[in-house]
Amino acid sequence: DQQVKQNSPSLSVQEGRISILNCDYTNSMFDYFLWYKKYPAEGPTFLISISSIKDKNEDGRFTVFLNKSAKHLSLHIVPSQPGDSAVYFCAASEGTNFGNEKLTFGTGTRLTIIP
Amino acid sequence: NAGVTQTPKFQVLKTGQSMTLQCAQDMNHEYMSWYRQDPGMGLRLIHYSVGAGITDQGEVPNGYNVSRSTTEDFPLRLLSAAPSQTSVYFCASSWLGIGELFFGEGSRLTVL
């Protein structure tokens, strides 16, 4: 039973436009959400996170939106750059303080930025 | 800065053989974990540890053993490899209470 779902395996976006990656979750106990970026032959690297007490978090070109009632979050990248081409994983954890380390990951979305 | 170091990067085993994937981190993280990545399955948690001497099972622990004798090291042991264990394995660490995991570069294991 996939508790974190990324229903789009792939996404192609023109350079300079906005990339929107989506993620849905089923476990109502999840209260901390993260996005990771992964290049081929490398480990995932942390990109941005959001706590359930917020509905938006920004870091430069990256913004994560959380809709708790819909159990949905999205990652917006604007403007998209060729270096953003990678696989993006959504992840979630439950519990505050201790327990946040145990992440449940989605299946990933491969983003391709077209020059 | 070394971060999280995994060895070996590639390994081919025959069914029934045993091996150990090594993981070391130099960030003094209390939490360490092992994930496997399979096509269409994302990353799934195998085992984790919240400190030296403490380990627990994740989502897919069968066929794997772990131990944590030091803060720095968290080896993953396959006692009798099976083709279903063909995967890419990632070790990750973090401070307790912080969800941001730091990952190693991965170890690609093929079991024939």
Side-chain angles (χ1 to χ4, degrees), chain A residues 1-2 32 34 36 38 41-46 89 93 97-108, chain B residues 31 35 37 40-43 45 48 50 57-58 90 94-106:
Chain A
D1 181 29
Q2 196 77 24
Y32 187 65
L34 308 90
Y36 280 80
K38 185 183 180 305
E42 294 185 9
T45 55
F46 171 74
F89 289 98
S93 70
N97 298 319
F98 297 107
N100 269 356
E101 323 84 5
K102 199 172 161 186
L103 301 183
T104 299
F105 284 83
T107 52
Chain B
Y31 180 83
Y35 283 84
Q37 184 191 8
M41 302 293 290
L43 290 126
L45 181 63
Y48 65 97
V50 296
Q57 296 180 350
F90 290 98
S94 75
W95 292 280
L96 283 177
I98 304 295
E100 179 188 337
L101 291 176
F102 293 81
F103 282 85
E105 293 187 338

Side-chain angles (χ1 to χ4, degrees), chain B residues 1-6 23-27 29 72 93 102-104:
Chain B
N1 292 334
V4 179
T5 303
Q6 290 182 233
C23 176
Q25 53 92 8
D26 61 359
M27 296 172 281
H29 287 163
E72 295 78 18
S93 69
F102 293 81
F103 282 85

Side-chain angles (χ1 to χ4, degrees), chain B residues 58-106:
Chain B
E59 181 185 355
V60 288
N62 292 343
Y64 307 95
N65 280 350
V66 292
S67 60
R68 183 96 178 267
S69 57
T70 67
T71 299
E72 295 78 18
D73 301 297
F74 191 46
L76 179 72
R77 297 183 185 85
L78 286 72
L79 297 179
S80 179
S84 61
Q85 294 178 303
T86 293
S87 188
V88 181
Y89 292 85
F90 290 98
C91 180
S93 69
S94 75
W95 292 280
L96 283 177
I98 304 295
E100 179 188 337
L101 291 176
F102 293 81
F103 282 85
E105 293 187 338

Side-chain angles (χ1 to χ4, degrees), chain A residues 45-113:
Chain A
T45 55
F46 171 74
L47 196 55
I48 192 169
S49 63
I50 187 167
S51 164
S52 60
I53 61 172
K54 291 183 161 185
D55 55 16
K56 177 182 173 182
N57 189 28
E58 285 181 85
D59 184 1
R61 296 185 297 113
F62 303 91
T63 303
V64 56
F65 294 92
L66 175 62
N67 183 333
K68 285 177 289 184
S69 60
K71 294 190 177 66
H72 176 83
L73 63 156
S74 60
L75 174 69
H76 293 210
I77 306 172
V78 55
S80 300
Q81 298 175 354
D84 296 329
S85 294
V87 176
Y88 290 78
F89 289 98
C90 172
S93 70
E94 57 180 276
T96 54
N97 298 319
F98 297 107
N100 269 356
E101 323 84 5
K102 199 172 161 186
L103 301 183
T104 299
F105 284 83
T107 52
T109 297
R110 181 178 301 279
L111 175 65
T112 302
I113 305 302

